[in-house]
Amino acid sequence: QYGYTLPGWRKYNLTYRIINYTPDMARAAVDEAIQEGLEVWSKVTPLKFTRISKGIADIMIAFRTRVHGRCPRYFDGPLGVLGHAFPPGPGLGGDTHFDEDENWTMDGTGFSLFLVAAHEFGHALGLSHSNDQTALMFPNYVSLDSRKYSLSQDDINGIQSIYG
Ligand SMILES: O=C1CC=C(NS(=O)(=O)c2ccc(-c3ccccc3)cc2)CC1=O
Ligand SMILES: [Ca+2]
Ligand SMILES: [Zn+2]
């Protein structure tokens, strides 16, 4: 059963901004992985994501290492934690950071940015972890072939319990 849900966004039109890029992947590949990670959720809810290239977006996306900016959570170097996202809300709410010390790839060798992004965006939309090991919100990374990846019913029940 999906984890209990935090209050979600009180609007369906959300903006996102990619602050910086990882050198591990082509920019276009990063843009695509982020867009697909968001589409996983917008496909099953009334949510709409609009990309902006400057100013403050609801979901600010950045690649960071160790202690970074005014973020209260830190990264731990290669492996371990791959990313973190803040639940819906003003300011840091919704912001999603990826650990730049990881090897981000789309070919299955390193970590799939698409998969980790989809998981983190689940948090940025208000979902917590699920104990259903087939769920995207399961706490442990399973390197599936992200091409044929789809949401589990548990994820869908969870997100629709907030934005149904
Ligand atoms: O709140 C937390 C705390 C710890 C986390 N660990 S992680 O960054 O290594 C991570 C773990 C699992 C995933 C994942 C799980 C299922 C499918 C795809 C990715 C992504 C990131 C991820 C996270 O969002
Ligand atoms: Ca790490
Ligand atoms: Zn952070």
Side-chain angles (χ1 to χ4, degrees), residues 36-37 39-41 43 112 114-116 118-119 132-138 140-153 155:
E36 285 183 2
E39 264 164 24
V40 153
W41 301 106
K43 272 190 312 208
S112 155
F114 160 69
L115 273 185
V116 175
H119 176 90
D132 173 342
Q133 77 269 26
T134 66
L136 183 59
M137 295 316 293
F138 189 65
N140 300 316
Y141 179 87
V142 283
S143 62
L144 300 172
D145 168 355
S146 55
R147 279 295 134 222
K148 56 179 183 293
Y149 193 81
S150 64
L151 280 187
S152 74
Q153 192 52 48
D155 297 310

Side-chain angles (χ1 to χ4, degrees), residues 62 64 66 68 71-75 83-86 92 95-98:
R64 301 286 190 230
R66 307 288 182 179
H68 49 277
C71 183
R73 292 169 69 178
Y74 313 142
F75 283 130
H84 52 229
F86 296 90
L92 207 52
D95 290 3
T96 303
H97 298 152
F98 298 103

Side-chain angles (χ1 to χ4, degrees), residues 52-65:
I52 60 176
S53 56
K54 55 183 175 302
I56 306 290
D58 296 311
I59 299 177
M60 300 286 267
I61 297 162
F63 289 85
R64 301 286 190 230
T65 59

Side-chain angles (χ1 to χ4, degrees), residues 20-24 62-66 75 77 82 97-104:
N20 65 353
Y21 287 82
T22 169
D24 306 343
F63 289 85
R64 301 286 190 230
T65 59
R66 307 288 182 179
F75 283 130
L82 312 175
H97 298 152
F98 298 103
D99 189 346
E100 182 46 72
D101 281 334
E102 312 302 342
N103 175 26
W104 298 107

Side-chain angles (χ1 to χ4, degrees), residues 9-79:
W9 296 94
R10 282 193 298 281
K11 54 186 179 177
Y12 286 151
N13 281 350
L14 296 171
T15 54
Y16 71 97
R17 179 178 164 197
I18 301 174
I19 303 287
N20 65 353
Y21 287 82
T22 169
D24 306 343
M25 291 165 65
R27 289 169 76 109
V30 172
D31 292 349
E32 188 187 332
I34 296 297
Q35 191 179 337
E36 285 183 2
L38 289 166
E39 264 164 24
V40 153
W41 301 106
S42 58
K43 272 190 312 208
V44 294
T45 58
L47 292 167
K48 260 180 62 53
F49 296 105
T50 307
R51 182 173 179 189
I52 60 176
S53 56
K54 55 183 175 302
I56 306 290
D58 296 311
I59 299 177
M60 300 286 267
I61 297 162
F63 289 85
R64 301 286 190 230
T65 59
R66 307 288 182 179
V67 175
H68 49 277
R70 285 192 303 279
C71 183
R73 292 169 69 178
Y74 313 142
F75 283 130
D76 51 4
L79 304 180

